[in-house]
Amino acid sequence: MDLQGTKEARTQEEGEGPLEAYGAGGGRSKEYHKNEGRDSHNHDDRSSIHPLRRRQQPFAYPHGARQSAPPVPAAVSRLREPSPSPEAISIPQELGLGPRDQRLLRKARRSPPVTKKTLSELDLPCIMSNINLRMDANFDRDLHFKPDLDGEKGQRKRKEAADYWDSLAAEIAIYSYHAATTDATTEEVESSDGTRRTFDPRLPALFETLQDVIKTLVPERDHPTIMQNLEVPLLMQQIRKGVLDMLTLAKWLAKLLKTHCAPMRDEWADSMVEQIEKGSQSQDPREIVNGLRTLFSILEAMKLDVANHQIRAFRVLLIEDTVPFLQEYFQGKMNRGSFQVEPARHWYLSVREQARRDDANAEARKTTPTAETEDTLKPLEALFRGISAQLLQFSPPTDFPETFLFDSERLWQLRSTVQNLINLDIAWYIFESYVNKHKRYLSTPEETYSTFRSRLWSLMEDGMDLENRIAGNPDNNDDDPDHRGGKRWTQNMRCIALEIARFACAALQLDPVVADEVIVPIEEALEWHLSNESDLFVFFQNSMRGKILATTLTAARRYLPLSPLAICESQRAPMSAALGPAAPQTGTAGASGSVSTSSLALTPQQSDIERIGMRLAHIGVLHWRVWAPLLYLRDEIAMVELEQPALA
């Protein structure tokens, strides 16, 4: 189970195993992960939500099913066919079960898809020790768990669950048959193709699991009643005799669950009873299984409700404790040698040295005064320069430094956003160049750019705006391998070129039907500049570098004296509004540009860059508080500590 986004929320234990970030995948994600509304649990298989009913179902084990089956001759034993247990029961040929049902009876999973173990990640101790969750809590106010049924892993889980419930339906049909006959046998019988015709039952494990999970969801005072009504040996004895009253059991379960779950789950519980009743009346095993499936979906939803309530209740503690928790965790890993951080230290020292050289060169070339970074901020500025360089470079980095393990997904999202903005600048430049080449100029460039940007962005993001991407909700279906957006732009090249050509024809007052002589040169220029690290890309890359660094450092200055919670809360308000109309322009030594945060009426690009800078500053300041004393400034701090006695 995991936490979104997205992103996998795997609990990081104190063992010696390798560290993993759930986002490299949350993740976001789940098993359990963040996204959408608080109460949206996204049960993709709606059959587990909609009503199906049942009542008394006479299903029983065959007589003598508890006897041990005779040994299987060595000549007919087969690989992957586990030996039958003493509980094994036979598959009656008279039922006419198909090969798939027989295979599922023998090989499908033995326990329900929802168990106490699978839900254990939602327990409070696991929530409090989940590093991914602690980190995500700093960046997502609406962080919560939900089932993750997307992607390859989710599809595999859905198939395993479907196979389990199908096998249970066949098992119930066999119980009914054996309860109605007197010639049941547990002898090891083979079908015509030589496969074994016995299987180990699943209902005992289902009732045990049901008992265990419900006990985790209700107060201890109700446990005796649960033990009494879900006494597994008694239930199995009733099943073998064909006298189990499933409808009465379902009604009791619904009443119990409605007493302790949120009112929004009451209708779901009533649907479960209706399903059990319908199946009992019609003697349809699949309807009974639908009711049981709904029952376990309710239990999972209740556990999610509890976990999400705990996340909201402990959110402040999780955020404020982020830095000391991570420092203690990583220090322990480093002491045991299970987390190698020296490459990250060498990376930081190299970018810090490069920053010194860039500053020296800029000082030598400087002809006009430039705002300089305070000495106390220079070590942190070097960190921002190193990370922003990886966000801006044309080719994707192999990976971000290991110390950014739990921020890597956020950084990949920022990189994709930055690269899309550069591509957007290139497309706008191609449009302006074509118009200017024909001796025409835009009468309202700001309005035209805003419309141009909106149209191209909608083509690229299927309606998802840039703000949502920066907020940590990337398109999970994006299979661009370099996280640059290049593949999406390439796949939509013709549409983008056509859109640019339409804008050009409108600006030049040409026929609105775009001719090939207009679209062909635009498409060729677009394809070349998006596929190569051209001079045009380098120009916009450097321009973006200066703007992002300036905005990031402005935000970092504001965040440094704040607590983690205050930084988190500050993300809700635009930085320009927080600084006020009198805020001065901000520059950075060595940057090729500066951005003003003084205007409350920001252009679309300024607004984008401001949000990027705020997010990058948030990541960087928290990261610096954890790793500066542990790694980046370790030698300087040790030197100061050695000198202090001498000074005294």
Side-chain angles (χ1 to χ4, degrees):
M1 302 195 150
D2 289 353
L3 174 76
Q4 187 149 182
T6 333
K7 227 112 209 272
E8 303 174 336
R10 292 185 283 273
T11 302
Q12 302 297 328
E13 299 178 352
E14 285 293 350
E16 294 298 326
L19 291 172
E20 291 186 273
Y22 89 82
R28 295 127 11 51
S29 256
K30 262 166 233 168
E31 296 143 300
Y32 299 109
H33 75 101
K34 56 179 174 56
N35 216 357
E36 302 166 62
R38 289 183 186 277
D39 298 311
S40 172
H41 297 292
N42 194 27
H43 288 279
D44 287 356
D45 189 343
R46 297 301 174 185
S47 65
S48 66
I49 297 177
H50 293 271
L52 300 161
R53 307 162 185 175
R54 222 133 258 153
R55 185 191 283 155
Q56 192 158 346
Q57 164 70 16
F59 43 127
Y61 279 93
H63 298 302
R66 299 267 172 185
Q67 300 174 3
S68 299
V72 180
V76 297
S77 63
R78 290 173 180 80
L79 294 175
R80 298 183 181 177
E81 286 285 346
S83 300
S85 72
E87 304 295 326
I89 58 178
S90 63
I91 304 175
Q93 295 187 16
E94 293 79 3
L95 280 179
L97 296 179
R100 179 179 181 273
D101 286 334
Q102 295 188 38
R103 177 179 59 81
L104 292 179
L105 283 169
R106 296 192 310 272
K107 296 185 177 180
R109 59 183 297 163
R110 292 285 179 260
S111 58
V114 177
T115 67
K116 183 179 178 180
K117 181 177 181 180
T118 63
L119 296 176
S120 62
E121 183 190 348
L122 304 176
D123 292 337
L124 183 59
C126 291
I127 290 176
M128 300 303 290
S129 62
N130 189 321
I131 296 182
N132 295 283
L133 188 150
R134 283 175 173 266
M135 289 299 297
D136 286 350
N138 283 272
F139 298 92
D140 187 350
R141 287 183 54 82
D142 296 322
L143 181 70
H144 65 278
F145 286 107
K146 67 170 240 184
D148 178 19
L149 300 175
D150 300 323
E152 182 179 349
K153 185 176 182 181
Q155 293 175 359
R156 185 177 69 251
K157 288 173 57 181
R158 288 199 301 271
K159 183 181 184 305
E160 289 178 355
D163 288 348
Y164 171 82
W165 295 116
D166 287 347
S167 69
L168 194 65
E171 185 173 319
I172 291 175
I174 292 173
Y175 295 151
S176 298
Y177 173 83
H178 284 311
T181 60
T182 58
D183 59 347
T185 178
T186 57
E187 291 182 359
E188 182 64 14
V189 183
E190 290 188 358
S191 63
S192 58
D193 61 0
T195 56
R196 180 166 57 85
R197 295 188 61 87
T198 61
F199 68 96
D200 292 327
R202 292 167 177 77
L203 272 178
L206 181 141
F207 287 124
E208 290 173 0
T209 300
L210 183 60
Q211 181 186 111
D212 290 341
V213 173
I214 292 178
K215 286 166 65 176
T216 67
L217 295 171
V218 303
E220 192 172 346
R221 65 176 181 271
D222 290 328
H223 289 191
T225 304
I226 295 169
M227 297 292 291
Q228 179 181 352
N229 286 275
L230 292 177
E231 184 181 349
V232 179
L234 177 60
L235 292 174
M236 296 313 301
Q237 183 182 31
Q238 293 174 331
I239 288 172
R240 289 195 298 272
K241 295 181 179 298
V243 296
L244 177 62
D245 188 347
M246 280 294 295
L247 180 57
T248 299
L249 182 62
K251 288 180 176 179
W252 170 78
L253 284 167
K255 181 179 179 181
L256 177 69
L257 297 182
K258 287 195 287 186
T259 301
H260 299 289
C261 70
M264 61 182 296
R265 308 294 177 200
D266 289 358
E267 185 177 352
W268 210 354
D270 292 335
S271 296
M272 180 268 294
V273 174
E274 292 174 0
Q275 291 168 321
I276 297 291
E277 181 177 13
K278 181 179 179 181
S280 298
Q281 291 176 344
S282 64
Q283 297 294 291
D284 184 352
R286 292 196 176 275
E287 286 292 340
I288 293 178
V289 166
N290 286 336
L292 294 173
R293 191 171 188 167
T294 300
L295 172 61
F296 278 88
S297 295
I298 296 171
L299 296 177
E300 182 182 40
M302 289 177 63
K303 188 71 172 181
L304 285 165
D305 290 342
V306 172
N308 291 329
H309 171 74
Q310 290 171 335
I311 290 176
R312 293 191 293 271
F314 289 97
R315 175 177 173 269
V316 172
L317 175 62
L318 290 171
I319 293 174
E320 291 289 30
D321 192 45
T322 297
V323 173
F325 182 91
L326 290 178
Q327 284 184 329
E328 181 180 357
Y329 176 81
F330 284 120
Q331 186 66 68
K333 286 286 184 182
M334 292 162 59
N335 292 342
R336 293 190 296 272
S338 58
F339 189 39
Q340 303 302 320
V341 294
E342 285 307 308
R345 179 172 176 270
H346 294 320
W347 167 85
Y348 172 74
L349 293 178
S350 66
V351 298
R352 188 171 176 179
E353 180 59 30
Q354 182 63 46
R356 289 196 187 101
R357 290 197 296 267
D358 291 344
D359 287 347
N361 293 334
E363 185 68 25
R365 297 193 307 267
K366 185 168 62 177
T367 56
T368 57
T370 303
E372 295 186 356
T373 305
E374 311 91 290
D375 290 341
T376 55
L377 196 61
K378 282 186 177 295
L380 178 57
E381 180 189 8
L383 181 78
F384 286 128
R385 290 194 189 188
I387 287 297
S388 61
Q390 292 183 304
L391 301 181
L392 288 156
Q393 67 188 48
F394 183 84
S395 300
T398 304
D399 208 344
F400 293 101
E402 188 70 8
T403 48
F404 284 93
L405 176 68
F406 298 107
D407 285 312
S408 60
E409 183 181 358
R410 277 175 282 275
L411 292 176
W412 282 119
Q413 291 171 9
L414 282 179
R415 173 175 164 80
S416 179
T417 300
V418 169
Q419 295 296 330
N420 274 306
L421 285 178
I422 293 176
N423 290 345
L424 190 64
D425 282 345
I426 291 174
W428 176 253
Y429 177 85
I430 292 172
F431 161 68
E432 283 192 312
S433 298
Y434 188 88
V435 172
N436 294 340
K437 185 175 70 173
H438 290 77
K439 312 298 184 183
R440 298 293 294 272
Y441 298 93
L442 300 175
S443 57
T444 56
E446 293 82 5
E447 294 180 8
T448 304
Y449 174 80
S450 180
T451 306
F452 179 90
R453 177 186 182 279
S454 177
R455 289 291 301 127
L456 261 61
W457 201 258
S458 65
L459 286 175
M460 300 308 306
E461 300 297 329
D462 295 327
M464 179 179 292
D465 62 27
L466 181 61
E467 183 173 1
N468 285 336
R469 289 189 61 82
I470 298 176
N473 298 308
D475 182 358
N476 291 327
N477 295 322
D478 177 16
D479 57 356
D480 183 3
D482 65 1
H483 299 268
R484 182 175 177 262
K487 188 169 185 178
R488 285 197 310 279
W489 285 80
T490 302
Q491 290 173 337
N492 291 277
M493 190 75 69
R494 183 73 179 178
C495 294
I496 296 170
L498 178 60
E499 200 64 45
I500 296 174
R502 285 174 178 166
F503 272 85
C505 289
L508 297 173
Q509 298 180 343
L510 300 177
D511 190 331
V513 178
V514 180
D516 283 344
E517 56 264 26
V518 178
I519 192 172
V520 169
I522 289 176
E523 185 174 11
E524 290 176 349
L526 191 64
E527 184 173 6
W528 167 257
H529 290 298
L530 294 183
S531 305
N532 298 274
E533 195 171 357
S534 62
D535 290 342
L536 189 60
F537 173 86
V538 173
F539 172 82
F540 286 117
Q541 177 193 48
N542 289 332
S543 175
M544 191 71 66
R545 186 194 317 277
K547 295 172 183 176
I548 289 177
L549 277 175
T551 309
T552 301
L553 287 175
T554 298
R557 288 187 184 92
R558 176 184 166 205
Y559 295 160
L560 279 174
L562 301 181
S563 69
L565 181 63
I567 298 175
C568 178
E569 295 298 319
S570 71
Q571 298 290 306
R572 303 167 64 187
M575 184 168 61
S576 53
L579 292 175
Q585 280 201 341
T586 304
T588 179
S592 59
S594 61
V595 62
S596 172
T597 58
S598 61
S599 175
L600 297 180
L602 300 179
T603 66
Q605 189 191 65
Q606 288 174 327
S607 180
D608 296 338
I609 292 173
E610 179 179 292
R611 291 193 298 273
I612 292 171
M614 291 173 65
R615 174 55 65 99
L616 187 56
H618 191 179
I619 294 172
V621 168
L622 289 182
H623 181 87
W624 186 252
R625 289 178 180 176
V626 174
W627 287 106
L630 289 182
L631 189 69
Y632 301 142
L633 302 182
R634 182 180 62 197
D635 294 343
E636 290 92 329
I637 293 174
M639 186 67 67
V640 170
E641 291 176 348
L642 287 175
E643 293 175 351
Q644 282 178 345
L647 293 175

